[in-house]
Amino acid sequence: ALQIKSLKKAEIVIGTPGRVIDHIHRGTLKLDNIRLVVLDEADEMLDMGFLDDIRYILRCCPEQRQTLLFSATMPTQILRITQRFQKNPAHIKGDDGQTAFELISQFYCEVPQSKKANSVMLLMEKLNIKRALIFCNTKQMVDVLTEHLTENGLFAAALHGDMKQAVRSHVMKQFKEGGINILIATDVAARGIDATGVEAIINYDIPQDVEYYVHRIGRTGRAGNYGAAYTIIANRGEFFSLCDIEDKTGAHMLPYELEGTEL
């Protein structure tokens, strides 16, 4: 009741897609006079399956309005939204991460597929890494790798979109406070985490988009501190993907020999 009362006099309304649609259906939120629509963390909303909800909300808004869209990455689905719901949009690109490259040493470790999971433990042990952020491309791989590392005595925790928000918040709090020192996450789930003191970024999976690579490694080497990023590759296809990232970003990755992963 308090929220409904507030909506009657609100000039700015901030909400999740589901909650906004709920109020539209109940008639407690009228969008007839909307002049500005902002889609924040657009790629995260797409990853969580809100594309149809976003389309519905935008169709409920007046044609004569300004639409702003903020996103760390620009996948094809988001570009389609800009074509459909924006008129002559201006694409404003922020720092593409090149400045971070100067402070981040980048390496790749070539290992057999069968020893890929163990290579993470060997890498952390050899380099004496106390605090790391590990990226996987899928939620399933996050869970599998987290289980493998915890079974081997490491303080690791998973972070992905299938987890309830309360659980995700608890994990991020533990990571911030040092209760866990290894966070294994998908790209989108890692948004907004406090990465203070992260010594190394480990790409367990090669990111599916070059922009994700830049976004991942930018979590280290901050505030003038040096950082390091390690990408694990286990087949020829991943090696070619790595070369593609180098070509498109101008990054220079050095090979890192990891003893104990030989066939």
Side-chain angles (χ1 to χ4, degrees):
L2 183 61
Q3 190 175 72
I4 293 172
K5 185 178 179 181
S6 298
L7 284 173
K8 289 181 179 179
K9 56 182 180 180
E11 295 182 357
I12 301 172
V13 175
I14 305 170
T16 60
R19 190 61 174 157
V20 170
I21 289 176
D22 179 47
H23 279 291
I24 292 173
H25 288 164
R26 293 164 61 182
T28 49
L29 176 61
K30 300 186 184 299
L31 306 180
D32 302 343
N33 298 315
I34 290 291
R35 291 291 173 264
L36 175 64
V37 176
V38 179
L39 295 177
D40 193 22
E41 299 282 13
D43 51 354
E44 179 174 356
M45 287 197 283
L46 287 180
D47 187 72
M48 296 173 70
F50 286 131
L51 180 58
D52 290 339
D53 289 350
I54 292 169
R55 285 174 174 159
Y56 178 82
I57 293 169
L58 291 175
R59 290 192 190 102
C60 291
C61 295
E63 281 290 325
Q64 297 300 317
R65 67 171 193 274
Q66 183 178 19
T67 304
L68 303 180
L69 187 149
F70 295 92
S71 180
T73 59
M74 285 288 175
T76 305
Q77 284 181 307
I78 286 183
L79 294 177
R80 286 177 186 154
I81 289 178
T82 66
Q83 293 165 3
R84 168 65 179 82
F85 293 103
Q86 292 182 304
K87 296 179 181 178
N88 302 317
H91 185 189
I92 302 172
K93 190 174 182 180
D95 182 5
D96 60 4
Q98 291 297 329
T99 53
F101 283 176
E102 299 172 8
L103 295 172
I104 302 171
S105 301
Q106 298 170 70
F107 304 92
Y108 69 90
C109 306
E110 199 164 359
V111 304
Q113 187 71 49
S114 61
K115 295 190 177 181
K116 192 173 181 181
N118 284 339
S119 69
V120 176
M121 295 185 294
L122 288 169
L123 186 64
M124 294 194 66
E125 182 180 343
K126 185 173 181 180
L127 297 169
N128 195 27
I129 297 171
K130 302 297 184 186
R131 188 168 164 82
L133 183 52
I134 303 175
F135 285 97
C136 299
N137 289 347
T138 66
K139 300 165 188 174
Q140 181 183 14
M141 194 65 247
V142 166
D143 286 334
V144 169
L145 184 59
T146 302
E147 184 178 355
H148 181 79
L149 296 187
T150 53
E151 284 179 350
N152 283 275
L154 297 180
F155 293 105
L159 194 70
H160 57 66
D162 281 351
M163 299 164 63
K164 292 182 179 179
Q165 184 57 50
V167 177
R168 290 167 67 179
S169 297
H170 178 67
V171 169
M172 288 190 286
K173 185 173 183 289
Q174 279 191 305
F175 187 62
K176 180 180 179 180
E177 295 176 353
I180 54 174
N181 56 2
I182 304 170
L183 188 61
I184 306 170
T186 54
D187 290 282
V188 171
R191 293 281 167 78
I193 68 166
D194 185 346
T196 304
V198 168
E199 300 167 281
I201 301 296
I202 300 175
N203 294 308
Y204 186 77
D205 291 323
I206 294 245
Q208 296 168 323
D209 191 292
V210 172
E211 287 185 54
Y212 281 132
Y213 178 82
V214 175
H215 203 60
R216 286 180 182 185
I217 71 167
R219 294 275 174 46
T220 187
R222 291 186 169 184
N225 296 315
Y226 286 95
Y230 299 84
T231 299
I232 299 171
I233 58 174
N235 56 60
R236 188 169 292 275
E238 290 181 346
F239 181 77
F240 288 139
S241 295
L242 195 74
C243 293
D244 187 48
I245 289 172
E246 282 190 306
D247 290 341
K248 291 181 178 177
T249 63
H252 180 55
M253 299 185 211
L254 299 171
Y256 186 86
E257 293 293 331
L258 195 55
E259 296 177 7
T261 59
E262 302 87 354
L263 283 171

